[in-house]
Amino acid sequence: MSSRPIWLGKPQPVALALKALALVLTCAVVIFPFLVVISTSLATKQQIDANGGYVIWPTQISFEAYKQVFNGTQVSRSIVISVGVTAVGTAFSLLCTVLAAYGLSRRGSLFQRGLLSFVLLTLLFAPGMIPVYLMVKQLGMLNTYWSLVIPTAVSAFNIVIIRGFIQAIPQELFDAARMDGAGEWRILRSIVLPSSRAVVAVVGLFIAVGYWNNYFSPLLYLNDTEMWPLQLVMRTFVLDNNVTSNAQAIPGYVAPPAQSVQMALVAIATLPILCVYPFLTKHMSKGMLTGAIKG
């Protein structure tokens, strides 16, 4: 009887202990910054001063920083803008990406080989900042929300990932659908999209994270501060230490410490996207690995 390969053998207790230790240390390194952000945002001025600016575990909880943030008209408006840009941008980007990936995955499509070469070429030669800015200006999108959506809507990497996943779908399904009289739109809607749910969910998550965290585009294209999304407002506050709040007009109002408000803004900017990850965890490995390896 031949011996089993070493990678199929039962792990030794020492190896299991080392793996558990490495996992615990990795989780601690990842969780610790979030703990500091949340704790500092809930801490009082006395605790922050006593701990040198950052609190690991607050003994007294105060929500004054979050009250000032949500009472601030600028921050509240920027959150609505960020949510709107992220929702519209993700939907528009997914639509363009899925359509392009499906067309480039079908052999015999019009200009399929040439367009695929052009898409792959953009992975090697990306346009510079000035050409993109001039294009946005010539299209009349300066100081509009479309300048935050359209220039980054299509990514060659995302097209390649989804295209590889679609190519892994058995050809017999497409042939059977065409024999039943289904057109391309029906095939895309009834076969491709249900079969590609995992990769579309993962790519959609990455697109949404990109739109939500987009900071440079609004800084470059938006001149009106009333149109700024959350990331740009947060950067302005970190530099100027000033968030306009309705509560500041109340006599005797004592503003929370700047560190608490900063960390409250960071938590507000981080938690929405962070809360989406658990719902897409089951699609992560299947979506990314299948699309990358079988493509």
Side-chain angles (χ1 to χ4, degrees):
M1 181 178 180
S2 59
S3 59
R4 301 176 65 186
I6 188 171
W7 57 84
L8 294 179
K10 185 178 180 180
Q12 298 296 322
V14 176
L16 290 176
L18 290 176
K19 290 179 180 179
L21 178 62
L23 183 61
V24 170
L25 291 176
T26 302
C27 292
V29 170
V30 173
I31 294 174
F32 182 75
F34 291 106
L35 177 63
V36 172
V37 168
I38 299 298
S39 298
T40 305
S41 68
L42 297 174
T44 61
K45 181 174 175 35
Q46 292 76 12
Q47 296 177 74
I48 292 176
D49 293 338
N51 289 274
Y54 297 101
V55 178
I56 298 178
W57 192 263
T59 55
Q60 294 181 352
I61 295 179
S62 172
F63 293 95
E64 291 301 321
Y66 289 94
K67 290 181 181 178
Q68 176 166 343
V69 168
F70 284 109
N71 285 333
T73 55
Q74 187 181 21
V75 175
S76 302
R77 182 173 57 248
S78 67
I79 293 175
V80 175
I81 292 172
S82 291
V83 171
V85 170
T86 301
V88 174
T90 302
F92 180 73
S93 181
L94 273 180
L95 176 64
C96 296
T97 302
V98 170
L99 291 178
Y102 177 68
L104 294 176
S105 67
R106 299 294 91 200
R107 292 184 179 180
S109 299
L110 185 64
F111 304 127
Q112 185 258 354
R113 189 175 296 274
L115 290 175
L116 179 60
S117 301
F118 180 78
V119 169
L120 296 177
L121 190 65
T122 61
L123 291 173
L124 303 176
F125 303 99
M129 179 182 66
I130 295 178
V132 175
Y133 179 85
L134 293 176
M135 180 192 69
V136 172
K137 181 179 180 181
Q138 290 297 324
L139 293 175
M141 293 190 299
L142 284 181
N143 213 37
T144 67
Y145 292 125
W146 289 115
S147 63
L148 309 183
V149 174
I150 294 179
T152 57
V154 180
S155 168
F157 177 78
N158 293 336
I159 291 176
V160 171
I161 291 294
I162 297 182
R163 174 181 176 269
F165 199 101
I166 294 175
Q167 285 184 316
I169 300 175
Q171 182 62 35
E172 290 77 8
L173 291 177
F174 297 98
D175 296 337
R178 289 192 176 92
M179 290 179 63
D180 291 338
E184 297 297 337
W185 288 106
R186 181 65 181 274
I187 293 175
L188 176 63
R189 186 175 66 254
S190 302
I191 296 178
V192 174
L193 289 180
S195 302
S196 307
R197 226 180 0 244
V199 69
V200 171
V202 173
V203 171
L205 174 63
F206 291 160
I207 293 172
V209 170
Y211 277 113
W212 180 264
N213 292 330
N214 191 6
Y215 151 79
F216 189 70
S217 293
L219 180 65
L220 193 62
Y221 303 133
L222 298 182
N223 300 321
D224 187 358
T225 58
E226 302 255 335
M227 301 176 64
W228 281 1
L230 179 61
Q231 302 298 332
L232 206 52
V233 171
M234 183 170 60
R235 170 225 178 230
T236 303
F237 172 73
V238 170
L239 294 180
D240 301 337
N241 285 339
N242 181 29
V243 171
T244 303
S245 174
N246 297 330
Q248 292 176 352
I250 301 175
Y253 172 76
V254 179
Q259 293 92 334
S260 294
V261 181
Q262 289 176 356
M263 293 304 163
L265 280 170
V266 173
I268 293 170
T270 304
L271 288 178
I273 291 296
L274 193 64
C275 292
V276 178
Y277 274 92
F279 297 99
L280 298 178
T281 301
K282 61 181 180 180
H283 299 305
M284 279 290 182
S285 58
K286 181 181 178 182
M288 291 304 296
L289 293 179
T290 306
I293 296 174
K294 292 189 178 182

